[in-house]
C-alpha cells in the first residue's frame, strides 16, 4: 500500500498545522457544530462579499473543485465530508475534509482559521501543500467569503505550492481551489 503514504502525510500535516497554529489563550478548545457569528478569516485572507465560491455542486453538503498545473497535473471535484470536519470557534475556522465517501482517490484538507490558512492535496501519487504564511514561499492567497459554523465559501490561488511526488521528487506547482460547503 505505498500509494496511501502521501494521503496519510496530508492528513498528518493538516492535523499538525491545526494543532500548532492555535492562538494561546484563545478561549474554549471545544469544537462547535452550529451557531456562532460569521468570521471574515484572517492572515492574508481577504473578505469580499459576493465573490469567490463555486465548487458547490458535487455533494449534498457542497464540494471543492481544484486544479493543479506545472510540475504535476490534476483536477477534479470532491464532496465535503461534514462528519469528519469541524468548526472551532476558538480559532475562528474550519478543519475541513473533501474526499469521496469511501476515502478512495484524492483528498483535500484545509483549515480556515483566522491565524492562518493551510491547504493540502494528496492522491496517492503526489502531495501538494500551500499556506497563507508569507515565509513559506508557497505564494497562496486565500479569499474567504464565508467562514463560520454554518459553512465556508471561498477560493485559494497558490503560485508556488510545495509539491512532493511518490518517487521522492520535490518541487513547486500551481494550485487553485474553490469551495462552497456546509454541515
Amino acid at each position: 500500500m505505498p500509494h496511501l503514504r502521501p494521503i496519510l502525510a496530508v492528513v498528518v500535516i493538516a492535523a499538525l498545522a491545526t494543532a500548532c497554529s492555535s492562538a494561546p489563550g484563545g478561549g474554549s478548545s471545544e469544537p462547535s457544530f452550529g451557531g456562532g457569528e460569521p468570521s471574515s478569516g484572517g492572515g492574508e485572507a481577504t473578505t469580499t462579499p459576493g465573490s469567490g465560491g463555486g465548487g458547490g455542486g458535487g455533494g449534498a453538503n457542497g464540494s471543492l473543485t481544484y486544479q493543479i498545473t506545472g510540475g504535476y497535473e490534476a483536477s477534479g471535484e470532491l464532496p465535503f465530508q461534514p462528519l469528519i470536519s469541524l468548526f472551532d470557534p476558538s480559532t475562528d475556522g474550519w478543519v475541513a475534509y473533501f474526499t469521496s465517501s469511501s476515502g478512495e482517490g484524492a483528498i483535500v484538507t484545509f483549515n480556515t482559521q483566522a491565524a492562518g490558512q493551510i491547504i493540502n492535496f494528496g492522491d496517492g501519487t503526489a502531495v501538494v501543500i500551500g499556506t497563507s504564511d508569507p515565509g513559506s514561499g508557497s505564494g497562496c492567497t486565500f479569499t474567504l467569503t464565508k467562514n463560520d459554523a454554518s459553512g465556508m465559501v471561498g477560493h485559494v490561488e497558490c503560485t508556488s505550492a510545495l509539491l512532493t511526488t511518490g518517487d521522492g521528487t520535490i518541487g513547486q506547482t500551481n494550485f487553485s481551489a474553490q469551495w462552497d460547503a456546509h454541515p
Side-chain angles (χ1 to χ4, degrees):
M1 287 199 252
H3 57 77
L4 292 177
R5 288 183 190 148
I7 293 174
L8 291 174
V10 168
V11 172
V12 169
I13 290 168
L16 287 173
T18 300
C20 293
S21 58
S22 295
S28 170
S29 62
E30 294 297 315
S32 170
F33 295 99
E37 292 298 313
S39 171
S40 63
E44 288 195 9
T46 59
T47 301
T48 310
S51 68
N61 298 94
S63 65
L64 174 140
T65 57
Y66 65 91
Q67 183 166 8
I68 302 168
T69 59
Y72 185 72
E73 305 288 324
S75 63
E77 182 173 279
L78 298 169
F80 177 56
Q81 300 300 322
L83 294 178
I84 58 174
S85 301
L86 65 91
F87 179 79
D88 184 350
S90 70
T91 63
D92 285 332
W94 280 91
V95 176
Y97 294 85
F98 295 83
T99 189
S100 69
S101 297
S102 68
E104 298 292 319
I107 181 171
V108 172
T109 63
F110 71 94
N111 73 50
T112 62
Q113 62 189 0
Q117 298 79 39
I118 186 170
I119 190 161
N120 303 297
F121 166 88
D123 67 357
T125 303
V127 173
V128 177
I129 302 169
T131 176
S132 62
D133 178 12
S136 73
S138 66
C140 295
T141 302
F142 288 75
T143 302
L144 307 173
T145 57
K146 180 178 184 178
N147 184 41
D148 61 30
S150 68
M152 66 203 115
V153 176
H155 65 274
V156 62
E157 296 289 331
C158 301
T159 56
S160 53
L162 176 65
L163 168 68
T164 304
T165 61
D167 66 4
T169 303
I170 297 176
Q172 293 181 321
T173 191
N174 299 315
F175 180 68
S176 63
Q178 304 81 40
W179 58 87
D180 185 345
H182 56 88

